[in-house]
Amino acid sequence: VGMLGTDGVILAGDTRINRKPFSSFRAPWMSYDGPKIRISDSGRVAISCAHDMQTANDIADAIFANMTHGDHASCEREIKELGTAAAHGRDVECIVVFADPLPCLYFFQHVKAGETVERQCQRITGCIPAGDTRNPAVFWGMSYYKLLPIDKLKHLATCIVVAAGGLNSSIIGGFEIVFCTKDGCSRLSDESALELQSAAKEKLGRVGELIMGMPSEGD
């Protein structure tokens, strides 16, 4: 999930990477943990990768090599052109964040729909999910996102990812979060991310208890 805040942008997501075996191999699906959010060497661009991870990483490399700034008239077109060239017809989604000239957020999607390929790039001024977007956990962002400082939004972003993992644990697990401000993009330490993750699980549990404990009408 990507979220625009008053003082920056948040990228948050899980760290479970699922790999389909080659068609010629009699092997099961494999999964392993690894970062899905990439940060450029300059520390001024960050990209969250979803769906075909190798392709998403190729798109990230292309954007890192060719773009340094967002918030300009041709930004969406450039991301779309670079992403489409690197996608090679595969299904992929990327959330792209630039720290310069001010923190800004873009969503790129390249998916096959039957015989056609749909591609889009859109600047985002709120909250956007990527990856398992059919997951009911997107409800949290749709219902509770507000334009607030990222230190406050980090709790909502964490709850979305944790809730998504609880609803689809077969492909979603782990947690990482990156903050992008005017000072650059930085990944939260593993220890701090685990603290946020644990707090989110507790909050979601309390919400469930509150809902189930509410008296019915007429009581």
Side-chain angles (χ1 to χ4, degrees), residues 50-51 93 129-136 138 164 167-168 171-172:
H51 294 304
E93 290 180 339
D132 183 22
T133 52
R134 293 184 179 182
N135 195 300
V138 299
L167 292 165
N168 194 357
I171 65 170
I172 300 172

Side-chain angles (χ1 to χ4, degrees), residues 4-82:
L4 179 69
T6 56
D7 56 348
V9 174
I10 288 177
L11 289 178
D14 78 306
T15 58
R16 180 167 296 162
I17 299 171
N18 300 280
R19 190 178 73 183
K20 183 179 180 180
F22 294 113
S23 58
S24 59
F25 291 175
R26 293 180 177 271
W29 279 79
M30 296 179 61
S31 64
Y32 48 91
D33 287 330
K36 295 182 181 180
I37 303 174
R38 299 272 307 278
I39 300 176
S40 66
D41 291 342
S42 68
R44 310 300 294 181
V45 186
I47 299 177
S48 180
C49 303
H51 294 304
D52 189 311
M53 290 301 298
Q54 182 57 61
T55 302
N57 276 292
D58 290 343
I59 292 172
D61 287 337
I63 292 173
F64 289 158
N66 292 279
M67 298 185 71
T68 58
H69 291 68
D71 191 38
H72 57 82
S74 63
C75 192
E76 290 168 317
R77 176 180 57 79
E78 289 182 29
I79 293 172
K80 186 176 178 180
E81 290 177 352
L82 290 167

Side-chain angles (χ1 to χ4, degrees), residues 16-218:
R16 180 167 296 162
I17 299 171
N18 300 280
R19 190 178 73 183
K20 183 179 180 180
F22 294 113
S23 58
S24 59
F25 291 175
R26 293 180 177 271
W29 279 79
M30 296 179 61
S31 64
Y32 48 91
D33 287 330
K36 295 182 181 180
I37 303 174
R38 299 272 307 278
I39 300 176
S40 66
D41 291 342
S42 68
R44 310 300 294 181
V45 186
I47 299 177
S48 180
C49 303
H51 294 304
D52 189 311
M53 290 301 298
Q54 182 57 61
T55 302
N57 276 292
D58 290 343
I59 292 172
D61 287 337
I63 292 173
F64 289 158
N66 292 279
M67 298 185 71
T68 58
H69 291 68
D71 191 38
H72 57 82
S74 63
C75 192
E76 290 168 317
R77 176 180 57 79
E78 289 182 29
I79 293 172
K80 186 176 178 180
E81 290 177 352
L82 290 167
T84 299
H88 297 297
R90 300 185 181 93
D91 291 346
V92 64
E93 290 180 339
C94 293
I95 303 176
V96 184
V97 179
F98 298 96
D100 300 309
L102 77 170
C104 51
L105 176 66
Y106 296 84
F107 174 71
F108 171 76
Q109 183 183 59
H110 183 287
V111 295
K112 291 177 289 184
E115 297 299 319
T116 63
V117 175
E118 296 182 2
R119 58 185 71 87
Q120 65 164 314
C121 181
Q122 175 68 51
R123 182 167 182 173
I124 304 300
T125 57
C127 173
I128 183 76
D132 183 22
T133 52
R134 293 184 179 182
N135 195 300
V138 299
F139 159 83
W140 295 103
M142 294 173 65
S143 298
Y144 297 111
Y145 168 81
K146 294 180 180 179
L147 188 61
L148 296 169
I150 58 176
D151 192 54
K152 292 184 179 295
L153 288 175
K154 68 183 181 184
H155 302 290
L156 176 59
T158 307
C159 282
I160 294 173
V161 177
V162 170
L167 292 165
N168 194 357
S169 59
S170 62
I171 65 170
I172 300 172
F175 178 69
E176 65 176 332
I177 188 166
V178 167
F179 302 113
C180 295
T181 69
K182 62 181 182 179
D183 296 322
C185 303
S186 60
R187 192 184 310 274
L188 194 66
S189 68
D190 291 343
E191 181 180 1
S192 296
L194 281 173
E195 290 176 0
L196 274 177
Q197 188 178 13
S198 296
K201 290 178 180 178
E202 182 181 344
K203 290 172 185 175
L204 291 169
R206 292 205 305 268
V207 169
E209 292 173 0
L210 176 63
I211 293 172
M212 298 305 293
M214 290 176 64
S216 60
E217 290 185 10

